[in-house]
Amino acid sequence: MSDVSWVILILIIAAVLWISGASLMKPVDQPGAETPATDSGTVSNGSTKKEPAPVIRIYTSNIWTERPDEEYIELLADYSNTKEVNISGWKLQNRDNKIFIIPTGAGLPYVGQVNTQSNIKLGPGEKAIIITGKSPIGTGFRPNICTGYFNRLYEFKPRLPENCPPPDKEPGVDAQNNACFSYIKTLPRCQTPTLSNAPSNVNFACREFIDQKLSYASCVETHKKDAGFFANEWRVYLERNEEAWSNVRETIKLFDQNSNLVAETSI
């Protein structure tokens, strides 16, 4: 091979190698280049995004009493919060530095049985009523549209709302005769009537319907999937035998599970 041919061959090989090297060294921001994946929760410089701290407010609703079963404060989750706040395990502290742990509660309470416990979570705008004393039903709980029935058996401070569905709107009432329907329309919400006081023209089928339908357990079974079934609050009990908060001078502090101060109020 002549010297000229060798020179041409060497130039061709050098050009191929240069083109290949340029392709391999293409910057990542050029079209067609893959952008490195980043984890969610991180910003471009690699630092972790920090969730905003939840806003919880303390209200001294009824601390002007010496009876622990009537003494309570309220914790309100601000509407600006972006998600639920789990307050079970958080700590309340009074002016004397006594600590009270916020417990769990029953999401769907029953009486006369052991209630399944769950963490107390407050969505935006929801509140927890923290009662110093003992729970009448043995557990903290989330009220619902049926818990007004509990007022007939126990005394709650504050009293439970009576938002039960009207008796004459319960499924199956339209199948009853006129005498039964007229009687049911006179019945108050959240109350199982004493059927011995029912008019004589209320027949057995009507009495059986009332006995089966107008109770807490039946109300829950019928309406637990309804929109708005659960209240926007929890009833939480510290299970104390003496008052937690002074009605003269008091400072109440709320700490999260990491002992960070979340809220504070004074009277």
Side-chain angles (χ1 to χ4, degrees):
M1 182 179 292
S2 66
D3 291 341
V4 174
S5 298
W6 276 110
V7 170
I8 294 174
L9 179 60
I10 290 171
L11 290 175
I12 292 173
I13 292 173
V16 170
L17 292 175
W18 183 86
I19 292 172
S20 299
S23 177
L24 291 173
M25 296 172 60
K26 182 168 55 175
V28 295
D29 59 348
Q30 290 186 1
E34 293 187 5
T35 302
T38 57
D39 294 332
S40 59
T42 61
V43 292
S44 58
N45 62 6
S47 61
T48 302
K49 290 181 180 178
K50 191 173 183 179
E51 288 284 343
V55 178
I56 306 289
R57 306 185 192 282
I58 304 173
Y59 293 92
T60 54
S61 303
N62 191 41
I63 65 172
W64 293 272
T65 176
E66 296 180 357
R67 300 185 60 180
D69 292 342
E70 297 181 0
E71 181 184 65
Y72 63 90
I73 64 173
E74 296 183 18
L75 304 181
L76 177 65
D78 197 82
Y79 283 99
S80 66
N81 294 341
T82 58
K83 60 182 180 181
E84 289 183 326
V85 182
N86 178 10
I87 64 171
S88 288
W90 286 25
K91 303 176 184 67
L92 287 161
Q93 179 179 300
N94 66 12
R95 189 170 183 268
D96 296 327
N97 294 324
K98 290 184 179 179
I99 299 294
F100 308 95
I101 307 297
I102 298 177
T104 56
L108 186 57
Y110 289 92
V111 296
Q113 67 180 61
V114 176
N115 283 279
T116 301
Q117 299 292 295
S118 60
N119 289 327
I120 296 170
K121 298 179 180 180
L122 302 181
E126 295 184 342
K127 67 180 178 181
I129 301 176
I130 313 289
I131 299 101
T132 303
K134 299 179 182 297
S135 169
I137 63 171
T139 182
F141 61 97
R142 185 170 193 173
N144 57 62
I145 62 172
C146 302
T147 46
Y149 276 99
F150 292 171
N151 287 330
R152 304 292 178 263
L153 302 172
Y154 307 96
E155 185 177 6
F156 292 87
K157 298 287 185 176
R159 186 176 174 85
L160 291 172
E162 299 193 0
N163 299 325
C164 305
D168 62 322
K169 303 298 183 184
E170 291 288 10
V173 72
D174 290 339
Q176 306 304 313
N177 62 26
N178 288 342
C180 180
F181 184 74
S182 297
Y183 174 60
I184 289 175
K185 283 184 69 69
T186 69
L187 299 177
R189 299 179 184 220
C190 306
Q191 182 172 330
T192 303
T194 303
L195 291 174
S196 59
N197 297 329
S200 59
N201 62 346
V202 174
N203 62 18
F204 176 78
C206 181
R207 294 168 186 268
E208 187 176 44
F209 173 83
I210 291 171
D211 185 60
Q212 292 177 353
K213 293 296 184 180
L214 301 187
S215 67
Y216 174 74
S218 177
C219 179
V220 169
E221 188 61 30
T222 303
H223 299 286
K224 63 185 177 182
K225 295 183 180 180
D226 292 358
F229 174 74
F230 289 104
N232 292 327
E233 70 174 54
W234 281 81
R235 298 294 177 99
V236 183
Y237 294 85
L238 300 179
E239 301 291 335
R240 299 287 172 154
N241 294 318
E242 57 185 22
E243 61 182 321
W245 320 112
S246 170
N247 55 16
V248 179
R249 288 185 299 170
E250 186 59 273
T251 296
I252 303 173
K253 296 181 180 181
L254 174 66
F255 299 91
D256 66 15
Q257 70 276 8
N258 297 318
S259 297
N260 298 314
L261 180 64
V262 176
E264 178 177 357
T265 190
S266 297
I267 62 165

